[in-house]
Amino acid sequence: MQSTPKKKGEQAFECLVPLPKEGPVAAAQWEPTKGKEFVVIAGTIPPAAALYNLEAEQIYAFGNAHRNIICWAPHGRFLALCGFGNLAGDVDFWDRNKKKKIGSVNMPCAVEYGWSPDSRLFVTATTAPRMNVDNGIHVYRYDGSGPLSTTKDRDPLFNCFWLPGVTDQYPDRGVSPASKARMRAAPKPEPAKGAYRPPGARGLKGGGSLASMIRAEREKDKGSSGTVRQAQKPGPRLPVGAAPEAGPSRNARRKEAAKKRKEAEAAAKLLEESIAKAAPPPAAKDVATMAPDELLKEQKKLKKKLKQVEELEKKVADGLAPSAEQRDKLARKSALADELAAVEARL
């Protein structure tokens, strides 16, 4: 950066701005309020955009995208990087203070565009003679959400612009909480779909070419040491027309069924012995003198005990050796059932 005096109290600056990407310069625009920063879009398609200070030092990179127009909001807080003209009409909205993208939208066939004096709205219009069909106006929020208003079927529409206003009359407002909620709720872009590959070619390093598929088949035929695997020995020969037997033989299934039957009989015998060894159950309560609320409580308690006894019987049937306390519980099953029947008869 060089500075040479021109007149008393003035200086002229001359420098070479390092482009964000090699290639032609698509756009350059000064920040409108203080004029101490500027944005440049340059490079081959897709070009890159970057923010610079007065010393031509890059202070932020917006990244590569199909954009060719820079549009600052009057307060200098928000910035729209647009892809109009011969591009598809995609627009990115940025918060310059926080250096964060706050929204993106597609505005196809936009000819006229601009910010409102309060920096809260962005308008695009399709006008003649550039576009002689589908003339109309669209109004968006500062983060690209919307459109809030759409006016169509205005053929021909020759121009569209905001009425002039004094920017200082409007406060410099940042991103509102509603905009942050819209950004969080915005659907994430779907990943780009590649070329179709048949199921047999998916996951191959060399793609879906015939050579890659043949190479994969050869690697499958090799062991971990790199040698070709030996073919498996054939099984026993079967008569012509006979299908190979699936699963265990009939004799093996018969033995397995007999084994399970013996285990069930042993579990039942063990349960009977446990009940016989158990202590006699305590005397049942006299339900004739109980109040209705006491009867309900007693019913709930007896049902719970019966459920515990049934669960214990299943465990004993599975081979559990019951303790003395568990044997007492098993012996009380019939008494508990009688007590429950007597209680329910009184309800």
Side-chain angles (χ1 to χ4, degrees):
M1 175 73 67
Q2 296 179 352
S3 134
T4 58
K6 290 281 186 178
K7 295 181 182 179
K8 187 176 181 180
E10 293 184 0
Q11 285 184 334
F13 296 91
E14 297 177 357
C15 68
L16 183 63
V17 178
L19 298 180
K21 186 178 180 181
E22 291 296 329
V25 177
Q29 191 74 35
W30 286 98
E31 188 270 332
T33 57
K34 300 178 182 179
K36 294 183 178 181
E37 295 175 348
F38 60 94
V39 175
V40 175
I41 299 178
T44 55
I45 297 295
L51 180 68
Y52 296 83
N53 59 15
L54 280 178
E55 297 181 356
E57 296 173 345
Q58 187 180 129
I59 57 179
Y60 186 73
F62 298 100
N64 297 356
H66 291 80
R67 310 290 181 264
N68 59 355
I69 291 174
I70 304 164
C71 191
W72 285 94
H75 290 86
R77 176 185 292 270
F78 301 127
L79 171 68
L81 300 179
C82 315
F84 295 152
N86 59 346
L87 298 181
D90 294 323
V91 181
D92 294 333
F93 290 88
W94 291 80
D95 186 338
R96 178 259 166 270
N97 293 2
K98 296 184 178 179
K99 298 180 177 63
K100 180 180 180 182
K101 184 162 73 171
I102 57 177
S104 296
V105 68
N106 181 260
M107 303 177 181
C109 302
V111 179
E112 305 292 341
Y113 53 89
W115 287 91
S116 61
D118 61 351
S119 301
R120 306 303 290 179
L121 299 174
F122 189 83
V123 66
T124 62
T126 304
T127 60
R130 176 70 181 271
M131 297 289 294
N132 292 318
V133 294
D134 297 332
N135 288 176
I137 304 169
H138 306 277
V139 181
Y140 299 84
R141 293 188 182 91
Y142 58 91
D143 59 355
S145 58
L148 303 178
S149 175
T150 300
T151 305
K152 294 184 178 180
D153 300 329
R154 291 283 182 172
D155 303 338
L157 176 67
F158 293 103
N159 204 347
C160 175
F161 55 89
W162 293 97
L163 290 177
V166 181
T167 304
D168 296 340
Q169 293 180 352
Y170 303 98
D172 182 12
R173 297 161 54 194
V175 178
S176 64
S179 295
K180 296 178 181 178
R182 285 193 295 269
M183 285 188 285
R184 289 192 295 267
K188 297 182 179 179
E190 297 182 358
K193 296 181 179 179
Y196 172 78
R197 291 185 181 182
R202 293 172 188 171
L204 299 181
K205 295 180 180 180
S209 62
L210 179 60
S212 301
M213 298 174 68
I214 295 175
R215 193 180 303 113
E217 290 295 331
R218 289 179 178 176
E219 291 178 357
K220 287 181 181 179
D221 293 337
K222 292 183 179 181
S224 58
S225 61
T227 58
V228 179
R229 295 178 180 174
Q230 298 293 332
Q232 296 181 355
K233 295 182 179 180
R237 294 187 178 182
L238 299 174
V240 177
E245 187 175 0
S249 62
R250 184 182 302 176
N251 192 23
R253 292 196 297 270
R254 189 184 299 113
K255 289 182 179 180
E256 184 68 20
K259 181 180 178 181
K260 290 183 179 179
R261 186 167 54 255
K262 288 183 180 179
E263 291 177 355
E265 291 175 356
K269 185 177 180 181
L270 179 62
L271 180 60
E272 292 176 359
E273 292 176 356
S274 300
I275 295 174
K277 294 179 183 178
K285 294 182 180 179
D286 187 9
V287 297
T289 59
M290 290 185 179
D293 56 341
E294 294 178 347
L295 289 172
L296 291 173
K297 291 181 181 179
E298 187 68 18
Q299 181 190 28
K300 185 177 180 181
K301 187 188 300 183
L302 291 172
K303 285 184 177 180
K304 183 178 180 180
K305 290 182 178 180
L306 277 173
K307 185 177 180 181
Q308 292 175 351
V309 171
E310 291 173 356
E311 292 176 354
L312 182 58
E313 285 180 344
K314 291 180 181 179
K315 293 180 180 179
V316 172
D318 292 337
L320 174 68
S323 61
E325 183 180 355
Q326 291 173 336
R327 287 197 295 269
D328 294 342
K329 284 186 178 181
L330 293 170
R332 290 202 58 202
K333 182 178 181 180
S334 58
L336 291 172
D338 295 340
E339 290 181 23
L340 180 61
V343 169
E344 291 179 344
R346 289 277 299 168
L347 291 175

mmCIF file of all heavy atoms in Angstrom, residues 316-345:
data_model
loop_
_atom_site.group_PDB
_atom_site.id
_atom_site.type_symbol
_atom_site.label_atom_id
_atom_site.label_comp_id
_atom_site.label_asym_id
_atom_site.label_seq_id
_atom_site.Cartn_x
_atom_site.Cartn_y
_atom_site.Cartn_z
ATOM 1 N N VAL A 316 -38.976 -72.042 39.218
ATOM 2 C CA VAL A 316 -38.709 -73.399 39.704
ATOM 3 C C VAL A 316 -38.822 -74.402 38.554
ATOM 4 O O VAL A 316 -38.039 -75.353 38.455
ATOM 5 C CB VAL A 316 -39.667 -73.750 40.853
ATOM 6 C CG1 VAL A 316 -39.529 -75.215 41.241
ATOM 7 C CG2 VAL A 316 -39.391 -72.863 42.062
ATOM 8 N N ALA A 317 -39.780 -74.161 37.644
ATOM 9 C CA ALA A 317 -39.922 -75.051 36.492
ATOM 10 C C ALA A 317 -38.711 -74.980 35.575
ATOM 11 O O ALA A 317 -38.381 -75.951 34.886
ATOM 12 C CB ALA A 317 -41.194 -74.699 35.722
ATOM 13 N N ASP A 318 -38.042 -73.830 35.575
ATOM 14 C CA ASP A 318 -36.844 -73.676 34.751
ATOM 15 C C ASP A 318 -35.600 -74.236 35.417
ATOM 16 O O ASP A 318 -34.512 -74.176 34.841
ATOM 17 C CB ASP A 318 -36.618 -72.189 34.437
ATOM 18 C CG ASP A 318 -37.705 -71.652 33.515
ATOM 19 O OD1 ASP A 318 -38.325 -72.463 32.806
ATOM 20 O OD2 ASP A 318 -37.919 -70.421 33.514
ATOM 21 N N GLY A 319 -35.730 -74.790 36.652
ATOM 22 C CA GLY A 319 -34.580 -75.416 37.305
ATOM 23 C C GLY A 319 -34.093 -74.733 38.561
ATOM 24 O O GLY A 319 -33.063 -75.134 39.115
ATOM 25 N N LEU A 320 -34.791 -73.703 39.066
ATOM 26 C CA LEU A 320 -34.365 -73.010 40.280
ATOM 27 C C LEU A 320 -34.649 -73.871 41.510
ATOM 28 O O LEU A 320 -35.746 -74.422 41.661
ATOM 29 C CB LEU A 320 -35.094 -71.658 40.397
ATOM 30 C CG LEU A 320 -34.851 -70.879 41.683
ATOM 31 C CD1 LEU A 320 -33.417 -70.376 41.750
ATOM 32 C CD2 LEU A 320 -35.821 -69.708 41.798
ATOM 33 N N ALA A 321 -33.652 -73.998 42.400
ATOM 34 C CA ALA A 321 -33.840 -74.723 43.656
ATOM 35 C C ALA A 321 -34.381 -73.738 44.693
ATOM 36 O O ALA A 321 -33.671 -72.826 45.114
ATOM 37 C CB ALA A 321 -32.529 -75.333 44.129
ATOM 38 N N PRO A 322 -35.655 -73.862 45.141
ATOM 39 C CA PRO A 322 -36.238 -72.858 46.033
ATOM 40 C C PRO A 322 -35.681 -72.964 47.451
ATOM 41 O O PRO A 322 -35.341 -74.043 47.942
ATOM 42 C CB PRO A 322 -37.731 -73.177 45.985
ATOM 43 C CG PRO A 322 -37.794 -74.626 45.661
ATOM 44 C CD PRO A 322 -36.613 -74.913 44.790
ATOM 45 N N SER A 323 -35.622 -71.802 48.108
ATOM 46 C CA SER A 323 -35.221 -71.758 49.519
ATOM 47 C C SER A 323 -36.422 -72.067 50.402
ATOM 48 O O SER A 323 -37.541 -72.295 49.919
ATOM 49 C CB SER A 323 -34.657 -70.370 49.842
ATOM 50 O OG SER A 323 -35.655 -69.377 49.634
ATOM 51 N N ALA A 324 -36.182 -72.071 51.714
ATOM 52 C CA ALA A 324 -37.272 -72.378 52.649
ATOM 53 C C ALA A 324 -38.372 -71.327 52.570
ATOM 54 O O ALA A 324 -39.571 -71.647 52.585
ATOM 55 C CB ALA A 324 -36.714 -72.452 54.079
ATOM 56 N N GLU A 325 -37.990 -70.065 52.471
ATOM 57 C CA GLU A 325 -38.992 -68.995 52.367
ATOM 58 C C GLU A 325 -39.784 -69.111 51.074
ATOM 59 O O GLU A 325 -41.010 -68.905 51.063
ATOM 60 C CB GLU A 325 -38.280 -67.641 52.429
ATOM 61 C CG GLU A 325 -39.232 -66.457 52.396
ATOM 62 C CD GLU A 325 -38.492 -65.133 52.459
ATOM 63 O OE1 GLU A 325 -37.256 -65.150 52.620
ATOM 64 O OE2 GLU A 325 -39.157 -64.092 52.342
ATOM 65 N N GLN A 326 -39.103 -69.470 49.971
ATOM 66 C CA GLN A 326 -39.804 -69.622 48.700
ATOM 67 C C GLN A 326 -40.738 -70.826 48.721
ATOM 68 O O GLN A 326 -41.811 -70.795 48.116
ATOM 69 C CB GLN A 326 -38.786 -69.744 47.570
ATOM 70 C CG GLN A 326 -38.031 -68.459 47.296
ATOM 71 C CD GLN A 326 -36.920 -68.626 46.299
ATOM 72 O OE1 GLN A 326 -36.408 -69.739 46.131
ATOM 73 N NE2 GLN A 326 -36.518 -67.535 45.655
ATOM 74 N N ARG A 327 -40.347 -71.870 49.425
ATOM 75 C CA ARG A 327 -41.250 -73.027 49.541
ATOM 76 C C ARG A 327 -42.516 -72.654 50.300
ATOM 77 O O ARG A 327 -43.611 -73.125 49.985
ATOM 78 C CB ARG A 327 -40.519 -74.177 50.249
ATOM 79 C CG ARG A 327 -39.474 -74.855 49.368
ATOM 80 C CD ARG A 327 -39.070 -76.208 49.935
ATOM 81 N NE ARG A 327 -38.387 -76.070 51.220
ATOM 82 C CZ ARG A 327 -37.085 -75.954 51.382
ATOM 83 N NH1 ARG A 327 -36.296 -75.941 50.301
ATOM 84 N NH2 ARG A 327 -36.547 -75.841 52.574
ATOM 85 N N ASP A 328 -42.389 -71.808 51.331
ATOM 86 C CA ASP A 328 -43.573 -71.340 52.062
ATOM 87 C C ASP A 328 -44.521 -70.563 51.148
ATOM 88 O O ASP A 328 -45.747 -70.714 51.221
ATOM 89 C CB ASP A 328 -43.152 -70.446 53.235
ATOM 90 C CG ASP A 328 -42.374 -71.229 54.291
ATOM 91 O OD1 ASP A 328 -42.472 -72.481 54.280
ATOM 92 O OD2 ASP A 328 -41.663 -70.599 55.098
ATOM 93 N N LYS A 329 -43.934 -69.736 50.276
ATOM 94 C CA LYS A 329 -44.770 -68.980 49.337
ATOM 95 C C LYS A 329 -45.515 -69.914 48.389
ATOM 96 O O LYS A 329 -46.700 -69.723 48.104
ATOM 97 C CB LYS A 329 -43.906 -68.013 48.531
ATOM 98 C CG LYS A 329 -43.484 -66.783 49.291
ATOM 99 C CD LYS A 329 -42.747 -65.823 48.363
ATOM 100 C CE LYS A 329 -42.352 -64.559 49.099
ATOM 101 N NZ LYS A 329 -41.650 -63.597 48.196
ATOM 102 N N LEU A 330 -44.830 -70.942 47.883
ATOM 103 C CA LEU A 330 -45.468 -71.872 46.961
ATOM 104 C C LEU A 330 -46.592 -72.648 47.642
ATOM 105 O O LEU A 330 -47.626 -72.945 47.032
ATOM 106 C CB LEU A 330 -44.421 -72.834 46.402
ATOM 107 C CG LEU A 330 -43.354 -72.209 45.492
ATOM 108 C CD1 LEU A 330 -42.255 -73.217 45.201
ATOM 109 C CD2 LEU A 330 -43.981 -71.723 44.195
ATOM 110 N N ALA A 331 -46.400 -72.982 48.917
ATOM 111 C CA ALA A 331 -47.417 -73.751 49.641
ATOM 112 C C ALA A 331 -48.670 -72.932 49.898
ATOM 113 O O ALA A 331 -49.749 -73.490 50.098
ATOM 114 C CB ALA A 331 -46.834 -74.256 50.969
ATOM 115 N N ARG A 332 -48.585 -71.619 49.888
ATOM 116 C CA ARG A 332 -49.722 -70.760 50.198
ATOM 117 C C ARG A 332 -50.564 -70.422 48.984
ATOM 118 O O ARG A 332 -51.517 -69.642 49.095
ATOM 119 C CB ARG A 332 -49.228 -69.454 50.815
ATOM 120 C CG ARG A 332 -48.647 -69.594 52.214
ATOM 121 C CD ARG A 332 -48.699 -68.280 52.935
ATOM 122 N NE ARG A 332 -50.077 -67.780 53.020
ATOM 123 C CZ ARG A 332 -50.392 -66.510 53.210
ATOM 124 N NH1 ARG A 332 -49.446 -65.610 53.277
ATOM 125 N NH2 ARG A 332 -51.660 -66.137 53.273
ATOM 126 N N LYS A 333 -50.249 -70.962 47.809
ATOM 127 C CA LYS A 333 -50.973 -70.561 46.608
ATOM 128 C C LYS A 333 -52.466 -70.859 46.704
ATOM 129 O O LYS A 333 -53.316 -70.000 46.438
ATOM 130 C CB LYS A 333 -50.381 -71.261 45.384
ATOM 131 C CG LYS A 333 -51.073 -70.853 44.088
ATOM 132 C CD LYS A 333 -50.452 -71.521 42.884
ATOM 133 C CE LYS A 333 -51.165 -71.064 41.609
ATOM 134 N NZ LYS A 333 -50.593 -71.690 40.412
ATOM 135 N N SER A 334 -52.822 -72.090 47.110
ATOM 136 C CA SER A 334 -54.246 -72.441 47.180
ATOM 137 C C SER A 334 -54.966 -71.621 48.242
ATOM 138 O O SER A 334 -56.105 -71.179 48.043
ATOM 139 C CB SER A 334 -54.401 -73.939 47.471
ATOM 140 O OG SER A 334 -53.737 -74.268 48.695
ATOM 141 N N ALA A 335 -54.287 -71.359 49.389
ATOM 142 C CA ALA A 335 -54.917 -70.566 50.443
ATOM 143 C C ALA A 335 -55.134 -69.126 49.984
ATOM 144 O O ALA A 335 -56.175 -68.515 50.268
ATOM 145 C CB ALA A 335 -54.047 -70.596 51.699
ATOM 146 N N LEU A 336 -54.160 -68.581 49.268
ATOM 147 C CA LEU A 336 -54.316 -67.218 48.751
ATOM 148 C C LEU A 336 -55.465 -67.136 47.757
ATOM 149 O O LEU A 336 -56.217 -66.150 47.747
ATOM 150 C CB LEU A 336 -53.013 -66.765 48.080
ATOM 151 C CG LEU A 336 -51.818 -66.518 49.005
ATOM 152 C CD1 LEU A 336 -50.569 -66.260 48.170
ATOM 153 C CD2 LEU A 336 -52.080 -65.333 49.920
ATOM 154 N N ALA A 337 -55.604 -68.160 46.911
ATOM 155 C CA ALA A 337 -56.706 -68.167 45.948
ATOM 156 C C ALA A 337 -58.049 -68.212 46.657
ATOM 157 O O ALA A 337 -59.011 -67.527 46.269
ATOM 158 C CB ALA A 337 -56.555 -69.344 45.001
ATOM 159 N N ASP A 338 -58.140 -69.010 47.751
ATOM 160 C CA ASP A 338 -59.406 -69.081 48.508
ATOM 161 C C ASP A 338 -59.710 -67.750 49.166
ATOM 162 O O ASP A 338 -60.868 -67.294 49.182
ATOM 163 C CB ASP A 338 -59.310 -70.193 49.546
ATOM 164 C CG ASP A 338 -59.174 -71.563 48.901
ATOM 165 O OD1 ASP A 338 -59.535 -71.694 47.703
ATOM 166 O OD2 ASP A 338 -58.699 -72.500 49.581
ATOM 167 N N GLU A 339 -58.678 -67.108 49.742
ATOM 168 C CA GLU A 339 -58.893 -65.822 50.378
ATOM 169 C C GLU A 339 -59.368 -64.766 49.368
ATOM 170 O O GLU A 339 -60.254 -63.955 49.644
ATOM 171 C CB GLU A 339 -57.600 -65.350 51.038
ATOM 172 C CG GLU A 339 -57.206 -66.172 52.259
ATOM 173 C CD GLU A 339 -55.917 -65.657 52.894
ATOM 174 O OE1 GLU A 339 -55.599 -64.469 52.677
ATOM 175 O OE2 GLU A 339 -55.246 -66.426 53.580
ATOM 176 N N LEU A 340 -58.762 -64.782 48.182
ATOM 177 C CA LEU A 340 -59.165 -63.827 47.157
ATOM 178 C C LEU A 340 -60.597 -64.037 46.730
ATOM 179 O O LEU A 340 -61.346 -63.077 46.528
ATOM 180 C CB LEU A 340 -58.219 -63.948 45.962
ATOM 181 C CG LEU A 340 -58.502 -63.013 44.773
ATOM 182 C CD1 LEU A 340 -58.393 -61.561 45.212
ATOM 183 C CD2 LEU A 340 -57.534 -63.281 43.620
ATOM 184 N N ALA A 341 -61.006 -65.319 46.618
ATOM 185 C CA ALA A 341 -62.395 -65.608 46.234
ATOM 186 C C ALA A 341 -63.369 -65.120 47.305
ATOM 187 O O ALA A 341 -64.414 -64.576 46.996
ATOM 188 C CB ALA A 341 -62.553 -67.110 46.002
ATOM 189 N N ALA A 342 -62.992 -65.276 48.598
ATOM 190 C CA ALA A 342 -63.855 -64.823 49.663
ATOM 191 C C ALA A 342 -63.973 -63.296 49.689
ATOM 192 O O ALA A 342 -65.056 -62.750 49.917
ATOM 193 C CB ALA A 342 -63.314 -65.338 51.011
ATOM 194 N N VAL A 343 -62.851 -62.612 49.441
ATOM 195 C CA VAL A 343 -62.884 -61.144 49.429
ATOM 196 C C VAL A 343 -63.734 -60.635 48.289
ATOM 197 O O VAL A 343 -64.556 -59.726 48.444
ATOM 198 C CB VAL A 343 -61.434 -60.601 49.349
ATOM 199 C CG1 VAL A 343 -61.458 -59.101 49.070
ATOM 200 C CG2 VAL A 343 -60.696 -60.869 50.644
ATOM 201 N N GLU A 344 -63.556 -61.212 47.071
ATOM 202 C CA GLU A 344 -64.336 -60.758 45.935
ATOM 203 C C GLU A 344 -65.811 -61.080 46.084
ATOM 204 O O GLU A 344 -66.660 -60.376 45.539
ATOM 205 C CB GLU A 344 -63.785 -61.420 44.670
ATOM 206 C CG GLU A 344 -62.379 -60.902 44.289
ATOM 207 C CD GLU A 344 -61.835 -61.584 43.060
ATOM 208 O OE1 GLU A 344 -62.374 -62.643 42.680
ATOM 209 O OE2 GLU A 344 -60.832 -61.064 42.486
ATOM 210 N N ALA A 345 -66.138 -62.108 46.865
ATOM 211 C CA ALA A 345 -67.528 -62.408 47.097
ATOM 212 C C ALA A 345 -68.206 -61.367 47.986
ATOM 213 O O ALA A 345 -69.410 -61.137 47.918
ATOM 214 C CB ALA A 345 -67.675 -63.797 47.748
#
